[in-house]
Amino acid sequence: CEMCIRDSYNGSGIAVAVCDTGIDYTNPHLGGGSFPNAKVIGGYDTGQLKADPMDANGHGTACAGIIAGDLAEYADYIGGVAPAAKLYALKISSDATGGNATESAMAAAWEWAITHQNDAPATPIRIISTRFGGGNYNATCDGTYSPMTTAAANAVAAGITIFVSSGNDGYCSSMGWPACISHVISVGAVYDANFGNYTPCVSVDSCLPDKIPTKECSFWYVNDATAADKVTAYSNSASFLTLFAPSNQAYTLQPLSKGGAYNATFGGTSAACPYAAGAAAALQ
């Protein structure tokens, strides 16, 4: 009984801090009102030092929809993995619509989550989900940017679990920062089913033997045969990667400014990370 399971393990009593491009809290499945509201109960813009973490990019809203969007029945969207969980929107991007962030803004967001962990005592922040970063690390990278590593250690000490996407470069024995920090749970991507061949972009440094140069990707691409639970061609992986989660064809949410409430094409380790974070919220 799927609905019985979802009613029992729905994330009640837990809040997840989404460190991303913000959250469109006016989306009807994410509170549908002003900020804060019943779903997005707090947050801050550490990228531009603003009180309003509204998402004009879409990435953060898509992640929030996977984690804890309200229960729904619309096309392939049925709600988040933990629909009763609350959300904190921590916008870390450097401008209103962009997808880039500074290291200091990222560290500040993690520290903000710790400081404000118990702002709502009935739903404390227990999980952080982050899909920003980059680089190519074949071992733990605690020395790369010490404020971020310190923030990660502080979060774990406060009882907060951090999930970070491993990256979409197609590395076979390395991953991006901050997923490589020893205190976090790094998340790679697997296909959820066989849906035919897929041609994702990968880095020129990918170890995949059949990558093909292309202008469309600006790098290279591969022609990958999909299968249930198969590691995706683009997912960074390594011996010290923590876990994998489903990624492709995630039907989730988007800012209303994008022309509607739903995003039917979201994917990558950007989708796998919030899926794992939502699962952790349900388990807790």
Side-chain angles (χ1 to χ4, degrees), residues 137-161:
Y137 296 86
N138 57 16
T140 53
C141 57
D142 292 355
T144 297
Y145 182 66
S146 59
M148 197 70 167
T149 302
T150 299
N154 290 341
V156 172
I160 298 174
T161 306

Side-chain angles (χ1 to χ4, degrees), residues 85-158:
K86 304 298 184 181
L87 295 168
Y88 282 83
L90 292 173
K91 185 174 181 177
I92 59 179
S93 42
S94 301
D95 55 68
T97 61
N100 296 314
T102 64
E103 295 169 335
S104 59
M106 294 170 68
W110 286 6
E111 292 287 5
W112 190 100
I114 300 165
T115 302
H116 296 267
Q117 179 180 18
N118 295 304
D119 281 3
T123 53
I125 297 173
R126 295 295 186 203
I127 295 163
I128 292 173
S129 178
T130 298
R131 173 50 191 117
F132 268 63
N136 186 348
Y137 296 86
N138 57 16
T140 53
C141 57
D142 292 355
T144 297
Y145 182 66
S146 59
M148 197 70 167
T149 302
T150 299
N154 290 341
V156 172

Side-chain angles (χ1 to χ4, degrees), residues 155-259:
V156 172
I160 298 174
T161 306
I162 306 174
F163 292 86
V164 183
S165 300
S166 66
N168 301 317
D169 305 287
Y171 300 146
C172 300
S173 59
S174 60
M175 67 181 85
W177 174 92
C180 49
I181 293 175
S182 60
H183 305 284
V184 313
I185 292 179
S186 51
V187 187
V190 293
Y191 296 119
D192 194 40
N194 179 353
F195 58 87
N197 278 26
Y198 183 58
T199 55
C201 301
V202 296
S203 168
V204 66
D205 295 322
S206 168
C207 66
L208 297 170
D210 54 351
K211 58 183 183 291
I212 305 166
T214 173
K215 293 181 180 178
E216 287 74 12
C217 285
S218 298
F219 296 106
W220 300 65
Y221 79 94
V222 292
N223 189 6
D224 197 29
T226 63
D229 297 328
K230 177 184 177 182
V231 177
T232 66
Y234 58 79
S235 177
N236 292 346
S237 184
S239 61
F240 61 106
L241 179 77
T242 311
L243 55 82
F244 294 94
S247 57
N248 282 76
Q249 300 184 347
Y251 205 111
T252 183
L253 305 177
Q254 69 177 3
L256 299 184
S257 61
K258 299 289 185 180

Side-chain angles (χ1 to χ4, degrees), residues 7-24:
D7 286 344
S8 299
Y9 303 100
N10 58 17
S12 178
I14 296 293
V16 180
V18 183
C19 300
D20 213 289
T21 62
I23 297 175
D24 181 4

